[in-house]
Amino acid sequence: MKEVIFNNQNLSDEDIQIFENKVKVIIKNSKDELLVCKRNGVIHFIGGKVEKNETCQEAAAREIAEETGIAISVSDSSLVPFFRMKQYQQNYYNSGKNCSLSITYLLCDTDEKFDYDKRNLDEYESKEHFTLEYIPMHNFLEELEKNREIAKKDKREFIINEMKYVFSEYIEEEEKKRELSERWRKNI
């Protein structure tokens, strides 16, 4: 799995007071649409914090169920980690503390439909205008750019940049899979 580290302030682990692990999931259906959430109008991948004693796959399955109402089994290997981003952040969310944030991104292919009635949003998510929608993959980068102004107003423009970066990693990963599959077929 590829990993990148962003540390613009050159913080060391000794400078860190908060260590957080999160998961985010790229959920794609057979129509090549991505399921995303919008929090106060800002596009996000589905995801959240990894709880104590949880694997990334377990956290992803839990977050998908909580935010979309879709039940994904960890045992059926439909949740595949493909990328990790580690960020060192000064004054994390104006807390006065520095944070080391590790986000593991997973892939999930499913045609299950989201169900607002089965969701179990946490207190913070319930306070936000939290909606779900499918965006065609071929329009995804354009939709993110359209969303940039809303994200700026919500002081979350970094989310747009992060999602564009991760989406490009996802596309690269998919192209590698296709190439391997074609090579394998040629060798049969």
Side-chain angles (χ1 to χ4, degrees):
M1 172 174 34
K2 184 174 179 179
E3 180 176 79
V4 296
I5 299 172
F6 295 102
N7 187 1
N8 296 338
Q9 290 89 19
N10 295 315
L11 298 173
S12 69
D13 284 340
E14 291 78 36
D15 298 322
I16 303 299
Q17 292 86 33
I18 302 170
F19 291 88
E20 280 197 2
N21 289 308
K22 292 184 177 183
V23 293
K24 293 186 182 181
V25 188
I26 295 180
I27 301 172
K28 183 178 74 108
N29 64 20
S30 60
K31 297 177 190 174
D32 283 339
E33 298 170 320
L34 302 180
L35 177 59
V36 297
C37 65
K38 283 189 173 178
R39 298 177 182 182
N40 295 328
V42 180
I43 297 171
H44 291 260
F45 290 126
I46 303 300
K49 290 183 181 178
V50 177
E51 294 180 359
K52 189 176 182 179
N53 298 321
E54 233 180 5
T55 67
C56 288
Q57 286 90 344
E58 290 166 340
R62 177 182 49 74
E63 288 290 342
I64 291 168
E66 289 175 0
E67 295 181 7
T68 71
I70 297 171
I72 299 291
S73 172
V74 176
S75 61
D76 71 7
S77 301
S78 61
L79 293 167
V80 180
F82 80 98
F83 182 70
R84 181 171 291 123
M85 180 183 294
K86 188 171 183 179
Q87 304 170 17
Y88 287 85
Q89 298 178 2
Q90 226 169 15
N91 193 20
Y92 187 59
Y93 285 103
N94 298 313
S95 66
K97 296 180 180 178
N98 299 329
C99 178
S100 169
L101 174 62
S102 179
I103 306 171
T104 301
Y105 293 86
L106 298 95
L107 305 175
C108 178
D109 291 332
T110 183
D111 283 324
E112 295 293 321
K113 301 284 184 212
F114 64 83
D115 186 342
Y116 281 118
D117 294 331
K118 292 183 181 177
R119 295 189 317 169
N120 184 22
L121 301 179
D122 65 28
E123 183 181 337
Y124 177 73
E125 292 162 339
S126 296
K127 290 179 184 176
E128 298 177 310
H129 183 64
F130 194 103
T131 60
L132 298 166
E133 70 179 67
Y134 290 95
I135 299 175
M137 280 183 57
H138 66 273
N139 290 348
F140 191 67
L141 292 175
E142 180 183 331
E143 290 298 317
L144 287 176
E145 279 308 318
K146 286 182 189 175
N147 195 245
R148 186 176 292 282
E149 285 305 311
I150 295 168
K152 262 187 197 177
K153 288 177 187 171
D154 202 41
K155 297 183 176 143
R156 293 184 171 273
E157 185 178 11
F158 68 92
I159 293 290
I160 302 301
N161 297 332
E162 175 187 317
M163 290 182 73
K164 286 178 73 175
Y165 187 93
V166 171
F167 185 69
S168 69
E169 292 293 332
Y170 167 70
I171 295 300
E172 186 178 306
E173 183 73 17
E174 289 297 299
E175 288 172 1
K176 285 180 188 174
K177 284 183 194 175
R178 271 192 291 276
E179 287 174 11
L180 285 173
S181 178
E182 286 175 19
R183 284 187 206 149
W184 184 80
R185 276 186 253 149
K186 287 178 182 177
N187 290 329
I188 294 180

